[in-house]
């Protein structure tokens, strides 16, 4: 009976993980993992890439499909991870635009990091869990047990989609609503 109860408990953790992924407003990483982001031009970066590069505008002027995979607060290690995962699940884009907002994108800086908060909601994917294990965020035992993949902030049972003050547009850009200066071509 104990074994059956443990099995049920572990499977419930899987549903918590997959349910939490569904309420995320930013589903770009999940689309990437599912191979749904094949584009000619990919934009990578942190806040400047997310806020100041309008993928729609690039697409319009360059006549190439464009998608913005920039994540606010991400460092170059996270951007490299995103690009590696892109290449694993898609054919190589024609161009990659890497937006480096300051020297701290490469140097160690407390405001820029690996963006584990974007990875935790997708821990039910084995490849994401493997990354979290590699980065010492999960135990290797989580390869076998889903309940070890649940992060404490995922134990929120409010099923409403979380709203960002910087919503994503259909091409992944998070343009600041009160700014009129974006990359112009």
């Amino acid at each position: 009976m104990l074994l059956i109860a443990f099995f049920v408990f572990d499977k419930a953790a899987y549903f918590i993980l997959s349910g939490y992924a569904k309420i995320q407003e930013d589903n770009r990483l999940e689309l990437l993992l599912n191979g749904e982001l094949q584009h000619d031009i990919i934009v990578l970066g942190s806040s400047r890439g997310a806020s100041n590069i309008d993928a729609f505008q690039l697409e319009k002027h360059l006549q190439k499909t464009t998608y913005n995979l920039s994540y606010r607060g991400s460092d170059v290690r996270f951007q490299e991870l995103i690009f590696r995962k892109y290449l694993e699940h898609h054919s190589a884009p024609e161009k990659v635009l890497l937006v480096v907002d300051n020297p701290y994108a490469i140097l160690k800086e407390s405001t820029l990091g690996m963006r584990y908060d974007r990875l935790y909601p997708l821990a039910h994917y084995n490849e994401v869990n493997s990354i979290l294990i590699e980065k010492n965020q999960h135990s290797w035992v989580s390869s076998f047990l889903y309940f070890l993949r649940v992060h404490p902030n995922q134990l929120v049972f409010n099923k409403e989609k979380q709203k960002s003050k910087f919503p994503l547009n259909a091409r992944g850009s998070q343009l600041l609503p009160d700014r009129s200066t974006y990359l112009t071509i």
Side-chain angles (χ1 to χ4, degrees):
M1 285 301 262
L2 184 62
L3 201 54
I4 292 171
F6 185 76
F7 177 79
V8 169
F9 175 72
D10 192 51
K11 293 309 168 199
Y14 176 83
F15 290 109
I16 289 171
L17 286 166
S18 60
Y20 192 74
K22 288 182 176 98
I23 64 169
Q24 299 299 302
E25 182 181 29
D26 184 351
N27 68 342
R28 294 177 294 167
L29 189 51
E30 189 165 25
L31 292 171
L32 185 146
L33 293 172
N34 291 328
E36 299 175 31
L37 291 179
Q38 184 64 52
H39 293 280
D40 300 324
I41 301 171
I42 296 298
V43 180
L44 295 170
S46 61
S47 59
R48 301 253 169 128
S51 304
N52 292 56
I53 305 295
D54 185 351
F56 276 124
Q57 188 179 43
L58 281 174
E59 188 169 304
K60 177 183 166 191
H61 290 287
L62 299 176
Q63 300 297 306
K64 301 281 184 182
T65 61
T66 306
Y67 201 82
N68 194 331
L69 284 169
S70 299
Y71 285 83
R72 296 175 182 284
S74 67
D75 65 3
V76 74
R77 295 173 307 139
F78 186 73
Q79 295 158 21
E80 178 204 7
L81 172 71
I82 295 299
F83 189 56
R84 277 191 296 115
K85 290 297 167 190
Y86 183 90
L87 293 176
E88 287 177 20
H89 296 277
H90 303 82
S91 56
E94 290 179 30
K95 303 252 187 254
V96 176
L97 176 61
L98 176 61
V99 181
V100 180
D101 27 345
N102 58 43
Y104 298 110
I106 297 170
L107 304 173
K108 185 144 180 82
E109 167 63 32
S110 61
T111 60
L112 300 175
M114 197 48 191
R115 294 300 311 263
Y116 294 115
D117 63 318
R118 299 302 341 133
L119 297 174
Y120 291 136
L122 301 174
H124 61 290
Y125 286 90
N126 289 331
E127 67 183 294
V128 172
N129 190 55
S130 294
I131 293 165
L132 291 168
I133 291 170
E134 177 185 316
K135 304 291 183 188
N136 295 320
Q137 297 297 306
H138 281 173
S139 163
W140 64 270
V141 183
S142 67
S143 297
F144 310 105
L145 301 173
Y146 284 108
F147 77 91
L148 292 176
R149 300 180 188 194
V150 177
H151 194 267
N153 69 1
Q154 293 172 312
L155 297 175
V156 176
F157 296 102
N158 180 0
K159 294 294 184 191
E160 252 182 65
K161 244 184 202 252
Q162 299 169 355
K163 301 287 185 204
S164 168
K165 63 182 193 177
F166 306 112
L168 291 165
N169 68 23
R171 288 289 187 250
S173 297
Q174 292 180 295
L175 305 174
L176 299 175
D178 59 345
R179 300 270 305 256
S180 60
T181 56
Y182 299 111
L183 175 72
T184 56
I185 299 175

